[in-house]
Amino acid sequence: MRACSSVVEHRPYKTAVAGSIPARPTHILKMPDEQTENNNPPEIPGYIGVRHLELSKLEERDILMRNAEQEDYDGLAKVIQDVWDYRTREWGSEKRDISKTPTRMDFLEKSISEPEKTIVLLITVDGEVAGFVHLEKTDDDAIIIDTLFTLEKYYGTGIGYSLLSQAEDIARNVFGAKEIRLGTHSCNKDALKLYGRNGYEELETEEKKDEGFSVKGEKVYKLQLVKKLEPKN
């Protein structure tokens, strides 16, 4: 990973295949060298370097966690499309095509141009982006998990938990946040189990939003969850 710079280097991207991912922006942010005079990583909020992970269900695999870069655009878009396809198939939700909604990828460039407000961490397995978490800092001592997605083939492997755990660590120890919030669907049983096991509770003050469709005869609602964070070490 490298530190952020305001210098822009114009460079054309290849056109995305129709129906797969949106065409990438026509420019990227040019990054300066990662090392400082003291040979330490740059002082950027949420910068974690490259971390090797060991997950029991993915033995003998090369698993890395790091901050996202512009070069990860295609891999992140693939994860989003995979989740949308899963929801269409399993939930009966409306089919969505990320190649027709390129603004859905705006968070990536924002994480590079405004790293003090937006953080995107990802995990790769043998070089493939397996999942990512997108965090947003608020003005009221809270961190929002905007997105936590993994490829379907990695469900239940610990990828989601690893991203969630790191997100909480950044919220607590980097930003000093007092709580972390997120939204999920009432039909997303696996996600609700993950969040419930890790101390997230439904915000009773928030009115449930009817999402306009049902899964297995049950109406689907958007739920708002919160977890109080202990003071940083």
Side-chain angles (χ1 to χ4, degrees):
M1 282 299 302
R2 295 158 292 184
C4 163
S5 167
S6 60
V7 178
V8 175
E9 175 190 18
H10 291 278
R11 185 173 74 182
Y13 281 105
K14 61 184 179 182
T15 303
V17 177
S20 56
I21 59 175
R24 301 191 227 174
T26 57
H27 69 277
I28 64 170
L29 298 177
K30 185 177 181 180
M31 310 292 185
D33 291 338
E34 175 178 320
Q35 302 299 322
T36 65
E37 291 182 1
N38 297 322
N39 206 34
N40 293 321
E43 294 296 326
I44 299 175
Y47 177 85
I48 66 168
V50 178
R51 301 186 178 181
H52 291 263
L53 303 180
E54 292 185 6
L55 301 176
S56 60
K57 294 185 178 181
L58 294 171
E59 292 182 344
E60 307 300 325
R61 308 289 292 274
D62 183 25
I63 308 170
L64 302 177
M65 179 187 289
R66 58 177 173 80
N67 297 76
E69 295 186 343
Q70 282 282 8
E71 289 77 6
D72 298 307
Y73 187 94
D74 292 0
L76 294 168
K78 178 183 176 183
V79 173
I80 294 173
Q81 187 64 60
D82 187 73
V83 171
W84 286 354
D85 290 345
Y86 172 86
R87 292 178 176 181
T88 299
R89 186 178 68 254
E90 299 295 325
W91 299 359
S93 55
E94 182 180 355
K95 184 174 178 58
R96 302 172 70 186
D97 186 343
I98 195 169
S99 68
K100 298 177 181 178
T101 53
T103 55
R104 180 62 180 83
M105 296 297 299
D106 287 351
F107 68 90
L108 176 57
E109 187 157 342
K110 186 178 177 184
S111 73
I112 296 173
S113 62
E114 301 179 30
E116 71 283 357
K117 297 180 181 178
T118 303
I119 298 169
V120 181
L121 305 177
L122 59 79
I123 290 178
T124 62
V125 177
D126 295 335
E128 176 184 43
V129 178
F132 72 94
V133 61
H134 163 204
L135 309 176
E136 290 284 344
K137 186 179 184 299
T138 71
D139 295 327
D140 59 351
D141 295 322
I143 290 290
I144 303 294
I145 295 181
D146 181 273
T147 309
L148 200 169
F149 283 171
T150 65
L151 290 175
E152 182 183 357
K153 65 182 179 180
Y154 293 116
Y155 288 0
T157 63
I159 297 289
Y161 171 76
S162 298
L163 289 166
L164 180 64
S165 179
Q166 185 63 59
E168 292 178 4
D169 183 68
I170 288 174
R172 179 188 299 108
N173 297 321
V174 176
F175 292 107
K178 295 180 179 178
E179 64 182 33
I180 190 165
R181 308 172 192 156
L182 59 90
T184 191
H185 294 89
S186 58
C187 61
N188 196 347
K189 305 301 183 185
D190 290 336
L192 288 172
K193 288 179 182 177
L194 171 65
Y195 299 135
R197 286 197 302 265
N198 288 279
Y200 288 79
E201 299 178 345
E202 186 176 345
L203 271 173
E204 299 295 340
T205 57
E206 293 288 331
E207 183 177 353
K208 295 180 181 179
K209 178 186 176 184
D210 187 342
E211 292 292 84
F213 67 97
S214 299
V215 174
K216 297 180 180 179
E218 295 184 7
K219 274 190 174 183
V220 174
Y221 295 92
K222 187 68 175 288
L223 307 178
Q224 299 299 320
L225 307 182
V226 64
K227 178 178 179 177
K228 299 296 183 181
L229 299 173
E230 297 296 327
K232 65 181 180 179
N233 299 328

